[in-house]
Amino acid sequence: AADRQRTIGLGVLLVLALAIPRLLGFGPRMDLVHYNLGRIEQEAGFPERAADHYRQSLEYNDEHLPPLLNLGSIAARSGQLELALRLYQRALTVEPRSDDARVNLGNVYLAGGNTERATAEFELALELNPRNVFALYSAFTIARRASDEDPAQEQRAQELRQQLMEVLPGHPQEEELRRQIGRLD
Protein backbone atom coordinates (compact mmCIF):
# COMPACT_ATOMS: atom_id res chain seq x y z
CA ALA A 1 0.00 0.00 0.00
CA ALA A 2 2.87 2.39 0.84
CA ASP A 3 4.55 1.67 -2.54
CA ARG A 4 1.26 2.25 -4.33
CA GLN A 5 0.72 5.60 -2.60
CA ARG A 6 4.30 6.68 -3.37
CA THR A 7 3.88 5.67 -7.03
CA ILE A 8 0.60 7.58 -7.29
CA GLY A 9 2.20 10.60 -5.57
CA LEU A 10 5.16 10.58 -7.96
CA GLY A 11 2.79 10.20 -10.92
CA VAL A 12 0.76 13.21 -9.78
CA LEU A 13 3.98 15.24 -9.36
CA LEU A 14 5.11 14.26 -12.85
CA VAL A 15 1.78 15.27 -14.40
CA LEU A 16 1.89 18.59 -12.53
CA ALA A 17 5.49 19.23 -13.58
CA LEU A 18 4.52 18.72 -17.22
CA ALA A 19 1.14 20.45 -17.10
CA ILE A 20 1.79 23.57 -15.01
CA PRO A 21 4.24 25.26 -17.42
CA ARG A 22 1.79 24.76 -20.30
CA LEU A 23 -1.15 26.04 -18.24
CA LEU A 24 0.88 29.16 -17.40
CA GLY A 25 1.54 29.78 -21.09
CA PHE A 26 5.03 28.37 -21.29
CA GLY A 27 5.47 26.20 -24.33
CA PRO A 28 8.17 25.45 -26.81
CA ARG A 29 9.64 28.52 -28.52
CA MET A 30 8.89 27.61 -32.11
CA ASP A 31 11.06 30.46 -33.37
CA LEU A 32 14.02 28.76 -31.66
CA VAL A 33 12.96 25.31 -32.82
CA HIS A 34 12.92 26.40 -36.47
CA TYR A 35 16.08 28.46 -36.09
CA ASN A 36 17.95 25.43 -34.71
CA LEU A 37 16.55 23.16 -37.42
CA GLY A 38 17.75 25.74 -39.95
CA ARG A 39 21.25 25.69 -38.48
CA ILE A 40 21.34 21.91 -38.70
CA GLU A 41 20.24 21.99 -42.35
CA GLN A 42 22.71 24.75 -43.18
CA GLU A 43 25.61 22.91 -41.54
CA ALA A 44 24.60 19.75 -43.41
CA GLY A 45 24.86 21.63 -46.71
CA PHE A 46 21.17 22.23 -47.46
CA PRO A 47 20.81 26.02 -47.66
CA GLU A 48 17.33 25.94 -49.25
CA ARG A 49 15.91 23.81 -46.45
CA ALA A 50 17.73 25.95 -43.91
CA ALA A 51 16.22 29.10 -45.43
CA ASP A 52 12.75 27.58 -45.13
CA HIS A 53 13.28 27.00 -41.41
CA TYR A 54 14.70 30.49 -40.89
CA ARG A 55 11.65 31.99 -42.58
CA GLN A 56 9.40 29.88 -40.35
CA SER A 57 11.35 31.09 -37.32
CA LEU A 58 10.65 34.68 -38.39
CA GLU A 59 6.94 33.89 -38.75
CA TYR A 60 6.91 33.14 -35.03
CA ASN A 61 9.20 36.03 -34.07
CA ASP A 62 9.97 38.61 -36.76
CA GLU A 63 12.53 40.27 -34.48
CA HIS A 64 14.74 37.22 -34.04
CA LEU A 65 18.16 38.43 -35.21
CA PRO A 66 20.02 35.15 -35.93
CA PRO A 67 17.66 33.85 -38.66
CA LEU A 68 17.80 37.26 -40.36
CA LEU A 69 21.60 37.10 -40.40
CA ASN A 70 21.63 33.51 -41.64
CA LEU A 71 19.04 34.19 -44.35
CA GLY A 72 21.19 37.12 -45.45
CA SER A 73 24.25 34.90 -45.62
CA ILE A 74 22.41 32.30 -47.69
CA ALA A 75 21.17 35.02 -50.05
CA ALA A 76 24.64 36.58 -50.36
CA ARG A 77 26.31 33.23 -51.08
CA SER A 78 23.78 32.54 -53.82
CA GLY A 79 24.45 35.93 -55.43
CA GLN A 80 21.16 37.53 -54.33
CA LEU A 81 22.85 40.70 -53.12
CA GLU A 82 19.70 42.87 -53.08
CA LEU A 83 17.89 40.34 -50.89
CA ALA A 84 20.93 40.03 -48.61
CA LEU A 85 21.11 43.82 -48.37
CA ARG A 86 17.45 44.05 -47.32
CA LEU A 87 17.82 41.25 -44.76
CA TYR A 88 20.89 42.83 -43.14
CA GLN A 89 19.22 46.25 -43.09
CA ARG A 90 16.21 44.65 -41.43
CA ALA A 91 18.54 42.95 -38.95
CA LEU A 92 19.92 46.38 -38.06
CA THR A 93 16.43 47.71 -37.39
CA VAL A 94 15.92 44.77 -35.01
CA GLU A 95 19.33 45.21 -33.36
CA PRO A 96 21.12 48.46 -34.30
CA ARG A 97 24.15 47.50 -32.19
CA SER A 98 24.87 44.25 -34.04
CA ASP A 99 28.46 44.38 -35.21
CA ASP A 100 27.90 41.12 -37.11
CA ALA A 101 25.03 42.65 -39.10
CA ARG A 102 27.29 45.63 -39.92
CA VAL A 103 30.09 43.34 -41.13
CA ASN A 104 27.70 41.30 -43.25
CA LEU A 105 26.17 44.47 -44.70
CA GLY A 106 29.67 45.74 -45.46
CA ASN A 107 30.50 42.52 -47.27
CA VAL A 108 27.38 42.88 -49.43
CA TYR A 109 28.38 46.44 -50.33
CA LEU A 110 31.89 45.22 -51.09
CA ALA A 111 30.59 42.39 -53.30
CA GLY A 112 28.48 44.98 -55.13
CA GLY A 113 31.54 47.15 -55.74
CA ASN A 114 30.68 49.90 -53.25
CA THR A 115 33.96 50.07 -51.33
CA GLU A 116 33.10 53.37 -49.67
CA ARG A 117 29.87 52.07 -48.11
CA ALA A 118 31.58 48.79 -47.20
CA THR A 119 34.38 50.64 -45.40
CA ALA A 120 31.83 52.75 -43.50
CA GLU A 121 30.02 49.60 -42.32
CA PHE A 122 33.26 47.92 -41.22
CA GLU A 123 34.23 51.05 -39.28
CA LEU A 124 30.80 51.14 -37.61
CA ALA A 125 31.21 47.47 -36.68
CA LEU A 126 34.59 48.27 -35.14
CA GLU A 127 33.07 51.12 -33.12
CA LEU A 128 30.59 48.60 -31.72
CA ASN A 129 33.16 45.86 -31.21
CA PRO A 130 36.85 46.71 -31.74
CA ARG A 131 37.69 42.98 -31.49
CA ASN A 132 35.46 41.82 -34.37
CA VAL A 133 37.94 39.75 -36.38
CA PHE A 134 35.96 39.92 -39.61
CA ALA A 135 35.49 43.70 -39.44
CA LEU A 136 39.21 44.12 -38.78
CA TYR A 137 40.17 41.77 -41.60
CA SER A 138 37.81 43.35 -44.13
CA ALA A 139 38.80 46.92 -43.22
CA PHE A 140 42.48 45.90 -43.36
CA THR A 141 42.01 44.32 -46.79
CA ILE A 142 40.37 47.44 -48.20
CA ALA A 143 42.98 49.78 -46.68
CA ARG A 144 45.86 47.55 -47.86
CA ARG A 145 44.58 47.45 -51.44
CA ALA A 146 43.94 51.21 -51.42
CA SER A 147 47.44 51.94 -50.09
CA ASP A 148 48.96 51.48 -53.57
CA GLU A 149 47.07 54.56 -54.76
CA ASP A 150 46.72 56.43 -51.46
CA PRO A 151 49.79 56.38 -49.18
CA ALA A 152 47.64 57.57 -46.24
CA GLN A 153 45.84 54.22 -46.37
CA GLU A 154 49.12 52.41 -45.65
CA GLN A 155 49.14 53.78 -42.09
CA ARG A 156 45.51 52.71 -41.57
CA ALA A 157 46.27 49.27 -43.00
CA GLN A 158 49.16 48.82 -40.55
CA GLU A 159 47.00 49.90 -37.59
CA LEU A 160 44.28 47.45 -38.59
CA ARG A 161 46.80 44.67 -39.18
CA GLN A 162 48.25 45.18 -35.69
CA GLN A 163 44.79 45.13 -34.08
CA LEU A 164 43.90 42.03 -36.06
CA MET A 165 47.05 40.19 -34.97
CA GLU A 166 46.23 40.99 -31.34
CA VAL A 167 42.75 39.45 -31.48
CA LEU A 168 43.42 36.61 -33.91
CA PRO A 169 45.05 34.02 -31.58
CA GLY A 170 42.57 31.28 -30.75
CA HIS A 171 40.05 32.30 -33.40
CA PRO A 172 38.54 29.27 -35.20
CA GLN A 173 39.70 30.59 -38.59
CA GLU A 174 43.08 31.84 -37.40
CA GLU A 175 45.19 29.78 -39.82
CA GLU A 176 43.17 30.73 -42.90
CA LEU A 177 43.10 34.41 -41.97
CA ARG A 178 46.86 34.42 -41.34
CA ARG A 179 47.42 32.96 -44.82
CA GLN A 180 45.20 35.59 -46.40
CA ILE A 181 46.91 38.39 -44.47
CA GLY A 182 50.28 37.02 -45.63
CA ARG A 183 49.17 37.26 -49.26
CA LEU A 184 48.24 40.92 -48.77
CA ASP A 185 51.53 41.89 -47.03
Side-chain angles (χ1 to χ4, degrees):
D3 285 342
R4 185 170 181 228
Q5 284 181 335
R6 189 172 69 191
T7 302
I8 291 172
L10 290 174
V12 168
L13 283 175
L14 178 62
V15 168
L16 289 174
L18 293 174
I20 288 176
R22 296 222 189 262
L23 293 173
L24 294 175
F26 298 105
R29 292 247 338 250
M30 294 308 291
D31 61 325
L32 294 177
V33 169
H34 283 288
Y35 169 70
N36 286 322
L37 289 171
R39 285 186 48 223
I40 291 167
E41 294 287 9
Q42 192 169 6
E43 289 172 11
F46 300 106
E48 300 84 17
R49 294 193 315 214
D52 287 340
H53 282 293
Y54 294 142
R55 283 189 287 274
Q56 289 177 47
S57 174
L58 291 170
E59 287 175 15
Y60 286 98
N61 179 358
D62 64 350
E63 293 194 357
H64 191 193
L65 181 66
L68 286 169
L69 295 176
N70 289 358
L71 275 171
S73 294
I74 290 169
R77 285 189 183 110
S78 67
Q80 300 173 21
L81 297 182
E82 285 298 320
L83 175 58
L85 185 70
R86 287 192 310 272
L87 287 162
Y88 293 140
Q89 289 169 337
R90 184 172 160 206
L92 284 168
T93 63
V94 168
E95 181 50 64
R97 300 195 46 80
S98 172
D99 55 309
D100 291 329
R102 292 275 176 204
V103 170
N104 292 347
L105 185 57
N107 284 325
V108 170
Y109 284 130
L110 191 58
N114 192 336
T115 306
E116 189 175 311
R117 294 280 306 264
T119 300
E121 291 299 333
F122 298 138
E123 293 297 334
L124 286 169
L126 290 171
E127 286 177 23
L128 294 167
N129 178 4
R131 301 181 61 81
N132 186 308
V133 169
F134 298 111
L136 286 166
Y137 174 75
S138 297
F140 163 72
T141 301
I142 290 171
R144 183 68 187 100
R145 289 181 178 155
S147 68
D148 294 337
E149 296 174 20
D150 182 1
Q153 288 294 318
E154 180 61 34
Q155 176 65 31
R156 181 64 179 145
Q158 291 308 315
E159 291 169 2
L160 289 163
R161 185 185 190 288
Q162 182 178 345
Q163 284 178 270
L164 183 56
M165 289 306 181
E166 289 172 8
V167 300
L168 199 54
H171 189 275
Q173 294 177 333
E174 179 180 0
E175 287 183 38
E176 177 59 29
L177 289 169
R178 285 188 186 276
R179 274 194 297 278
Q180 292 177 14
I181 292 166
R183 288 185 204 127
L184 292 168
D185 283 339

